[in-house]
Amino acid sequence: MSATARRASPWHYLLAALLVLAATPVWAVDPIELDDPVLQQRYRALTQELRCMQCQNQSIADSPVGLAGDLRREVRELLLAGASDQAIRDHLRDRYGDFILFRPDLNARTAWLWAAPFVLLMAGVWVAVRVIRGRAALAAQPDDEVDGRV
Amino acid sequence: MLPEIGHFTLVLALVLSALQAFFGITGPALQRERWQAAVGPAVYGQFCMVSVAIGCLAAAFLQHDFSVEYVAQNSNSALPAFYRVAAIWGAHEGSLVLWSWILAAWSIAVAFFSRGLPPPFAARVLGVLGVVSLGFYLFTLATSNPFLRIDPPAPDGRDLNPLLQDPALVAHPPMLYAGYVGFAVAFAFACAAMIEGKLDSAWARWTRPWTTIAWAFLSVGIALGSWWAYYELGWGGYWFWDPVENASFMPWLVGTALIHSLAVTEKRGLFKSWTLLLAILAFSLSLLGTFLVRSGVLVSVHSFAADPTRGVFILAFLVVMIGGALTLYAWRAPLLKSNAGFEFTSRESFLLFNNILLVVATATVFAGTMAPLISDALGLGTLSVGPQYFNPTFLLPILPLIGLVAVGIHASWKKGRLGEKRGMLLTTLAMAGTVTAALMLGAYGGGMLLTPVGIALGVWIMLSSLADPIDRWRRKLSLTPGVLGMAVAHLGLGLFVLCVTVVESYTAERDVALEVGGRATVGRYEYRFDKIEPVQGPNYDGVRAEIAVLRDGRQVARLHPEKRQYWVQRSVMTEAGIDMQWGRDVFAALGEDLGAGRWSVRAQVRPLINHMWFAAFLMALGGVIAACDRRYRTAREARPVETGHAVPDPGPGVSVARVAPGEA
Amino acid sequence: MSRFLVPVGLFALLVAVLAVGLERAPEKNVIPSALLGRPAPEFTLPELGSPQLQFDSRSMAGRWWLLNVWGTWCVECRAEHDMLLAVRRTGVAPIIGLNWKDDDASALRWLEELGNPYERVPVDAEGRVAIDWGVYGAPETFLIDPAGRVVHRHVGPLTREVWEREFLSRLPRTDAPPLMPAERRVGAT
């Protein structure tokens, strides 16, 4: 079975293409997997992005507690009703606040956090280029001695 | 009686560390040789005292002395002896004693191996270490004394946290602490240099082996923690960007930059300010990590019992140590100038990018880890940051860095001379591309956007690391530990990149509901739930499932995942069933009991994951090999002037390792 | 010279943030409710013991009231139970006891043995209403104003101190009788 390539988010669980065997039970009351592979992958992605509010440092995908199961059910039902990923996040955020999201939303309050990596990288590259330019100029001069003392 | 002896020896250790600090700093300052000479005995004395203290704590555990509060909270009459000793570092108070003991052990090692250092300098280094020790003893005795008694003694203990009743997790804290604390040595060397106002290549040469070995310990400690999380926590992941994980990862990133920066300072007297700052930063992050997990400011799945008053103490300690060091830096660093130059494609240039990109990565992880705290403090509301933030933002600086490694390894000092290496580099790149295609199209099939990039870069780095040693071997040149260690470490890095890419691209994972006899397909394997039965252990009971794993109809493994409930703490633990093979792990963990004989099971097939842990070990091994290079171990004095190339003849009785072009 | 002061300056900033974080640390483990200041989620649920009767939350409009989320499986709910009875006796505000993911027989027995502080007991067997209210750990107690807005939420057992500091202070002053020590009332509803 070959794995299907997907996903913008790089280092995360990738599901191989699934062949749901007829022998695998399908549960009407509390199914763990959705039949539609596209929905199933959205389900996995969403449940990994949402924090289990009871254990607080696990996603609802990974947490075994009752509340996590209820929240997973909520996500499943919303998915089956056709809600978009963002709508589902908003739905849960309205009830539990920002803390339930592992991926901070992009808004005025979080802009600094999302911008920081880019700003830092550009600052770093700028420093590097400046230093190297200066040192390359020095390297063009005749061979120098390394200064040992301060 | 023994706990009181333990308490008393801790107090003595505090006094001795104070003496160590006092004599170490003032002796050289006032040029009193007798005071300087007193530092060594103070260090040895401190080590003896804290060893007795930790021995008393161990004895209290082994003897089931439940009149000691710490033992009562972390042990139990049913706890096996092995874990009773490990319980010493099972919670906050005892882990601080372990910290202090490890610091004393490092201090002794420095004292022992510092015969070749000028005595005033060695005294200063030990003096700074003494200040750190003093701080920790004060903290322990004032807020976190493990020898406190309770009256009447508890009838039995509350048991060690079941999560910690595991061999890997027994080894994880000592390894981690050995790493964190080892950075205190680099920090002490940096402070001593700043106090003296002198920073030269000899200083870098002295500092390097200590820093490299600390870094190696930290690498192993982090890898152990990650591996443990994978097989113990039951969700099959190995890295979650949890604040406590980040608290150990940030010092590692900075430590990596530091060991490379030290190379430049040693070889060419450059990057002095960088190296000083990195040394201060590495230790600061260690201390900050200690603060974060013990003060309650961050929510984490494995922080110690949070106590803000302890947080205040650590914060004050941070201010004194780091504020002091950075003030020293502001005072002394302006005097560190050098006029050496280097070209755009020189080794120095690559290592500059190395420094900068690693610091950017650290700052990014720092921002994400501290974001909830910062957002709350600035009144911006609660914020939550998880893997969905860290994964992409961490890759941003790291991907370019990984891209530079294969080439950078071969750049020469000052002039680069990459033209000479072009053939080899292109050949190895082509080979890497071939392997990538083979893996993606043949072995595994498919992949994500970054999969070919990760695999190709990983393989390229591996081949590039081997190029130089192989070339030397063929030309019958010497292979010094320095060269070999560097090759092994970078080989480990390449392997790690390759494995992480494969694991993240090709893991097959499903959560399935199975009853006895049920089957599920996961990747290329088929899981068959054979049976489930009750099971009992020395201090727990639970259920144990038997799952057969088949491939192409043939059974390749039997897995035995368990769900245990520990009697005393009533917590439920998942023990995953894993079949470990070189090529892949087959993994199963029991989820919930769905009723009517059905269980939810998390099933995973993880290709190359064991190579990933092995790669981390290789990196650490490379560091240890490199640190054993003879040029660090022979007694020498500071050289007044050194050129950038050959080392001048130092005279009889001192051996020299030839500085070869490819050497770090 | 100035750029060498940058590290120590940044460090000072960090210390400031950490100090503020430390000061606010005791509140760290309590997540503020996302519903504060917003209309309380409306729900209709069957009542404990009389499933043919429905409790509609809209019937509480015009009054101050409390929603207490509880279950017999919850150890801390037992700890706060006497306090709830005391609150009921003051008559300051009615308590609606949302029975969360519990078993009817156990819940009925519990109330019979320990006394019933609640005016009504809607049963949330599946936990959907609890999710709407952002509940993450029992016991939780919400205070709702006559306009139907959530004014406050407390996570954890209700103690005398919490009641006075967090709830009474937000309720309008009345001539309510003072809190009396709890008495066991058997069979009262």
Side-chain angles (χ1 to χ4, degrees):
Chain A
M1 232 141 300
S2 63
T4 46
R6 247 216 62 172
R7 286 275 210 104
S9 126
W11 303 116
H12 227 61
Y13 298 118
L14 170 78
L15 285 185
L18 305 177
L19 232 198
V20 179
L21 291 182
T24 304
V26 175
W27 308 112
V29 175
D30 190 13
I32 299 179
E33 292 179 321
L34 299 170
D35 284 344
D36 178 357
V38 172
L39 278 184
Q40 173 66 16
Q41 273 183 336
R42 281 176 63 199
Y43 174 60
R44 292 303 299 249
L46 278 169
T47 52
Q48 275 156 6
E49 257 185 53
L50 295 165
R51 185 190 295 267
C52 167
M53 297 299 292
Q54 211 168 333
C55 356
Q56 297 199 345
N57 234 48
Q58 278 182 294
S59 65
I60 60 175
D62 299 328
S63 168
V65 303
L67 178 64
D70 292 348
L71 287 169
R72 286 196 301 268
R73 181 192 59 213
E74 193 89 354
V75 171
R76 273 199 305 272
E77 289 176 356
L78 287 166
L79 273 173
L80 288 168
S84 71
D85 284 2
Q86 189 56 38
I88 295 177
R89 283 189 210 111
D90 288 339
H91 176 95
L92 286 169
R93 202 215 352 207
D94 285 344
R95 286 151 179 71
Y96 285 95
D98 286 317
F99 198 61
I100 198 174
L101 301 173
F102 271 131
R103 182 210 306 266
D105 264 358
L106 184 54
N107 56 44
R109 286 178 307 127
T110 62
W112 68 272
L113 183 61
W114 285 107
F118 296 95
V119 170
L120 288 168
L121 182 61
M122 296 212 287
V125 170
W126 179 76
V127 166
V129 168
R130 258 189 38 158
V131 170
I132 292 177
R133 279 225 190 101
R135 294 289 168 174
L138 279 175
Q141 289 162 15
D143 208 356
D144 50 332
E145 303 213 57
V146 168
D147 199 350
R149 285 226 201 281
V150 163
Chain B
M1 192 56 209
L2 276 180
E4 277 66 38
I5 294 180
H7 190 175
F8 184 61
T9 48
L10 266 187
V11 175
L12 285 181
L14 184 152
V15 171
L16 286 165
S17 70
L19 288 174
Q20 177 188 335
F22 178 74
F23 288 135
I25 308 278
T26 58
L30 301 177
Q31 290 180 322
R32 296 195 173 203
E33 292 216 357
R34 298 262 294 278
W35 285 15
Q36 272 173 211
V39 179
V43 175
Y44 286 104
Q46 191 219 132
F47 180 70
C48 290
M49 290 297 110
V50 73
S51 301
V52 172
I54 208 171
C56 292
L57 195 52
F61 272 103
L62 286 170
Q63 293 169 0
H64 291 304
D65 185 352
F66 296 122
S67 68
V68 177
E69 192 175 7
Y70 187 69
V71 177
Q73 284 170 346
N74 292 291
S75 183
N76 185 270
S77 45
L79 188 65
F82 177 62
Y83 292 124
R84 265 181 274 149
V85 173
I88 292 175
W89 52 87
H92 169 70
E93 294 86 346
S95 71
L96 281 184
V97 177
L98 181 68
W99 228 104
S100 299
W101 183 82
I102 291 182
L103 183 55
W106 276 103
S107 305
I108 284 232
V110 171
F112 184 72
F113 284 107
S114 63
R115 316 279 176 71
L117 298 175
F121 183 77
R124 286 189 164 119
V125 171
L126 291 169
V128 174
L129 286 173
V131 176
V132 181
S133 292
L134 177 63
F136 271 87
Y137 287 125
L138 276 174
F139 182 44
T140 309
L141 288 167
T143 72
S144 324
N145 189 344
F147 293 111
L148 293 176
R149 297 261 209 183
I150 43 177
D151 187 29
D156 206 337
R158 280 186 27 206
D159 206 11
L160 181 63
N161 187 338
L163 275 179
L164 305 178
Q165 295 185 29
D166 178 275
L169 214 62
V170 165
H172 165 69
M175 289 283 128
L176 267 189
Y177 288 4
Y180 284 155
V181 177
F183 285 144
V185 176
F187 176 78
F189 270 90
C191 288
M194 289 190 291
I195 294 174
E196 269 188 14
K198 189 174 78 173
L199 193 95
D200 56 13
S201 301
W203 173 85
R205 195 179 54 247
W206 298 328
T207 314
R208 272 182 92 179
W210 298 106
T211 313
T212 311
I213 297 212
W215 173 89
F217 271 119
L218 191 58
S219 310
V220 172
I222 294 175
L224 273 177
S226 168
W227 183 48
W228 170 84
Y230 164 68
Y231 73 74
E232 179 66 31
L233 290 181
W235 46 278
Y238 55 88
W239 190 257
F240 198 63
W241 296 106
D242 179 272
V244 168
E245 291 175 319
N246 298 346
S248 64
F249 192 49
M250 289 189 283
W252 185 87
L253 289 169
V254 174
T256 307
L258 177 60
I259 56 185
H260 288 87
S261 194
L262 277 168
V264 182
T265 305
E266 182 191 350
K267 277 297 179 303
R268 302 214 57 218
L270 285 165
F271 292 10
K272 289 179 184 173
S273 299
W274 267 107
T275 304
L276 275 182
L277 267 182
L278 287 171
I280 297 174
L281 189 60
F283 186 56
S284 312
L285 288 168
S286 302
L287 284 183
L288 184 67
T290 306
F291 172 79
L292 288 176
V293 312
R294 290 160 205 271
S295 59
V297 294
L298 283 181
V299 171
S300 163
V301 77
H302 50 307
S303 37
F304 290 93
D307 184 347
T309 44
R310 289 170 175 165
V312 171
F313 196 106
I314 306 182
L315 191 59
F317 185 53
L318 259 173
V319 170
V320 168
M321 300 268 20
I322 308 306
L326 288 175
T327 310
L328 264 178
Y329 173 82
W331 173 42
R332 290 303 208 185
L335 306 172
L336 304 172
K337 289 221 191 299
S338 94
N339 286 319
F342 54 84
E343 288 179 10
F344 181 59
T345 56
S346 64
R347 180 167 290 218
E348 294 90 319
S349 188
F350 278 95
L351 289 178
L352 179 65
F353 270 106
N354 184 65
N355 270 2
I356 285 181
L357 290 172
L358 281 171
V359 169
V360 168
T362 308
T364 304
V365 174
F366 186 80
T369 308
M370 301 288 287
L373 197 54
I374 295 175
S375 184
D376 192 50
L378 294 180
L380 293 174
T382 47
L383 194 57
S384 154
V385 185
Q388 287 78 9
Y389 171 83
F390 287 107
N391 285 334
T393 56
F394 179 70
L395 275 184
L396 193 63
I398 290 297
L399 220 42
L401 179 62
I402 294 178
L404 291 174
V405 174
V407 180
I409 293 178
H410 295 282
S412 292
W413 292 105
K414 190 169 183 191
K415 296 251 186 254
R417 292 204 283 255
L418 280 178
E420 299 167 10
K421 307 283 181 168
R422 195 153 54 113
M424 179 273 297
L425 285 172
L426 286 174
T427 313
T428 46
L429 182 58
M431 287 166 72
T434 316
V435 173
T436 307
L439 281 179
M440 287 187 70
L441 300 172
Y444 294 118
M448 300 185 289
L449 207 62
L450 284 176
T451 306
V453 176
I455 297 180
L457 284 178
V459 176
W460 194 27
I461 294 175
M462 288 173 73
L463 294 171
S464 176
S465 322
L466 291 173
D468 197 33
I470 290 179
D471 180 60
R472 284 187 182 223
W473 174 71
R474 276 176 34 205
R475 293 199 287 154
K476 308 254 189 293
L477 288 175
S478 69
L479 202 57
T480 59
V483 173
L484 182 64
M486 173 176 136
V488 170
H490 287 115
L491 181 71
L493 174 67
L495 183 62
F496 187 80
V497 171
L498 168 65
C499 292
V500 167
T501 310
V502 168
V503 168
E504 291 299 319
S505 306
Y506 298 118
T507 290
E509 180 182 329
R510 284 184 71 186
D511 284 342
V512 289
L514 294 173
E515 86 268 285
V516 175
R519 291 162 179 254
T521 308
V522 185
R524 294 180 183 155
Y525 295 82
E526 197 185 10
Y527 280 53
R528 192 185 67 214
F529 196 77
D530 279 349
K531 66 169 149 157
I532 185 153
E533 56 193 5
V535 71
Q536 198 182 73
N539 51 348
Y540 62 85
D541 35 30
V543 292
R544 187 167 189 255
E546 249 186 63
I547 297 182
V549 180
L550 306 123
R551 183 168 172 158
D552 302 325
R554 259 182 46 253
Q555 180 177 299
V556 293
R558 291 196 77 76
L559 304 176
H560 301 104
E562 289 182 24
K563 236 180 154 73
R564 300 177 180 173
Q565 180 159 60
Y566 283 78
W567 300 329
V568 181
Q569 290 201 4
R570 312 294 311 156
S571 40
V572 177
M573 294 289 124
T574 322
E575 292 286 320
I578 305 180
D579 179 58
M580 281 196 261
Q581 302 285 334
W582 253 147
R584 88 290 174 281
D585 264 10
V586 174
F587 173 107
L590 287 175
E592 301 133 62
D593 183 354
L594 299 170
R598 290 181 321 236
W599 281 81
S600 74
V601 175
R602 173 160 288 188
Q604 284 184 341
V605 180
R606 290 254 198 211
L608 285 193
I609 198 166
N610 294 304
H611 282 82
M612 194 178 75
W613 316 122
F614 176 66
F617 171 72
L618 262 188
M619 284 197 269
L621 181 65
V624 171
I625 293 175
C628 293
D629 196 291
R630 276 165 68 227
R631 72 181 192 263
Y632 300 126
R633 285 187 282 135
T634 37
R636 285 154 126 195
E637 304 223 323
R639 320 213 67 77
V641 169
E642 280 189 352
T643 64
H645 296 283
V647 178
D649 189 349
V654 182
S655 65
V656 175
R658 289 241 157 269
V659 177
E663 190 165 350
Chain C
M1 180 60 191
S2 59
R3 72 187 167 104
F4 294 100
L5 286 172
V6 168
V8 91
L10 286 176
F11 179 65
L13 221 69
L14 173 68
V15 169
V17 169
L18 290 176
V20 172
L22 252 191
E23 213 196 297
R24 297 160 64 84
E27 308 147 24
K28 196 63 45 161
N29 288 319
V30 177
I31 323 285
S33 168
L35 301 177
L36 293 180
R38 284 167 47 200
E42 295 171 356
F43 61 92
T44 308
L45 287 175
E47 288 204 37
L48 181 68
S50 322
Q52 69 281 14
L53 291 174
Q54 299 277 318
F55 169 76
D56 187 334
S57 63
R58 286 171 295 191
S59 67
M60 304 304 291
R63 301 201 275 168
W64 286 89
W65 59 287
L66 299 159
L67 183 78
N68 176 259
V69 181
W70 67 284
T72 56
W73 42 265
C74 155
V75 175
E76 305 212 300
C77 300
R78 174 68 192 90
E80 71 167 2
H81 197 84
D82 291 340
M83 186 62 209
L84 291 174
L85 287 168
V87 167
R88 179 182 185 158
R89 257 190 304 282
T90 68
V92 164
I95 315 176
I96 307 298
L98 186 71
N99 187 228
W100 186 34
K101 300 199 64 173
D102 208 350
D103 146 57
D104 280 4
S106 313
L108 280 166
R109 208 168 35 238
W110 163 289
L111 293 177
E112 202 176 285
E113 283 171 10
L114 302 176
N116 188 349
Y118 305 120
E119 189 173 285
R120 309 280 286 278
V121 188
V123 174
D124 186 9
E126 297 194 323
R128 294 168 193 280
V129 172
I131 290 182
D132 276 345
W133 282 73
V135 171
Y136 67 89
E140 288 188 18
T141 309
F142 294 79
L143 178 63
I144 300 100
D145 73 5
R149 278 188 308 259
V150 175
V151 170
H152 183 68
R153 166 177 77 175
H154 177 75
V155 176
L158 195 69
T159 63
R160 181 183 216 99
E161 195 191 55
V162 168
W163 170 247
E164 286 172 0
R165 198 183 58 214
E166 298 181 22
F167 289 88
L168 265 188
S169 57
R170 291 179 161 91
L171 285 161
R173 295 203 178 285
T174 60
D175 301 320
L179 280 174
M180 301 280 282
E183 302 160 37
R184 294 276 223 88
R185 298 203 350 215
V186 177
T189 302

